[in-house]
């Protein structure tokens, strides 16, 4: 395979468009956080299967570690941070990440690794659900409930016609 080198003095400014939909591979979008002036890349399609698998393993490991740290901080924090809204957001983020793994990354990663990732995500989801149930149970226990208030509400309600 031939390498292409672009020099600033030789480059004439013409754009070359490739039909990347025909290329079978993983499309990634680099962040372009370079201090020096260089070629900016909007998107790149990786075709080599070994390189794709290495990239996705690193990416999934990093994201799974992020979720693990986030969930541990939710579990160990005070009652203010463990309100049901934060737990629902974490649960939604995990469900979104799980769908990305199932539908986008599954064709590039081997089956054993994919199943292991999905098991880890389901364990994290289970822990969040347990914490959600316990936090909702604490909120219900702390609510002042008086039978007289319920009777007053029933009397005010009346009949609707």
């Amino acid at each position: 395979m031939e390498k292409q080198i672009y020099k600033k003095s030789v480059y004439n400014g013409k754009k070359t468009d490739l039909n990347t939909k025909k290329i079978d591979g993983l499309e990634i979008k680099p962040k372009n956080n370079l201090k020096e002036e260089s070629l900016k890349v909007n998107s790149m399609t990786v075709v080599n299967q070994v390189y794709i698998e290495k990239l996705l393993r690193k990416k999934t490991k990093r994201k799974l570690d992020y979720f693990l740290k986030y969930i541990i901080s939710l579990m160990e924090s005070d009652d203010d941070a463990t309100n049901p809204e934060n737990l629902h957001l974490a649960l939604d983020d995990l469900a979104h990440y799980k769908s990305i793994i199932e539908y986008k990354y599954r064709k590039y990663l081997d089956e054993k690794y994919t199943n292991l990732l999905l098991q880890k995500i389901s364990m994290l989801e289970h822990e969040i659900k347990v914490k959600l149930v316990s936090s909702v149970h604490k909120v219900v226990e702390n609510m002042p409930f008086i039978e007289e208030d319920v009777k007053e509400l029933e009397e005010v309600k009346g009949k609707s016609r």
Side-chain angles (χ1 to χ4, degrees), residues 75 108 154:
M75 298 297 172
Y108 300 114
E154 290 176 355

Side-chain angles (χ1 to χ4, degrees), residues 31-75:
K31 294 184 180 178
N32 293 322
N33 292 335
L34 299 175
K35 293 180 181 176
E36 59 191 44
E37 189 175 321
S38 62
L39 184 67
K40 288 192 177 184
V41 179
N42 293 333
S43 68
M44 181 171 81
T45 303
V46 181
V47 181
N48 189 354
Q49 183 64 30
V50 175
Y51 191 62
I52 290 172
E53 190 167 342
K54 284 182 182 180
L55 280 173
L56 288 180
R57 281 182 183 252
K58 272 181 142 179
K59 189 174 184 178
T60 54
K61 184 181 182 309
R62 193 178 318 123
K63 191 75 166 181
L64 204 59
D65 288 342
Y66 165 75
F67 278 123
L68 188 61
K69 287 178 185 177
Y70 180 65
I71 290 169
I72 287 173
S73 69
L74 280 178
M75 298 297 172

Side-chain angles (χ1 to χ4, degrees), residues 1-5:
M1 191 163 140
E2 206 173 291
K3 292 184 179 182
Q4 294 180 353
I5 299 173

Side-chain angles (χ1 to χ4, degrees), residues 15-31:
K15 287 186 176 182
T16 304
D17 293 331
L18 294 174
N19 192 358
T20 57
K21 293 180 181 179
K22 291 182 181 179
I23 299 174
D24 188 32
L26 178 69
E27 185 176 337
I28 57 174
K29 296 181 181 178
K31 294 184 180 178

Side-chain angles (χ1 to χ4, degrees), residues 79-101:
D79 292 334
D80 296 336
T82 58
N83 64 0
E85 293 174 6
N86 290 341
L87 294 173
H88 279 294
L89 288 175
L91 199 58
D92 289 343
D93 287 343
L94 269 177
H96 177 69
Y97 185 60
K98 186 176 183 179
S99 68
I100 288 174
I101 289 175

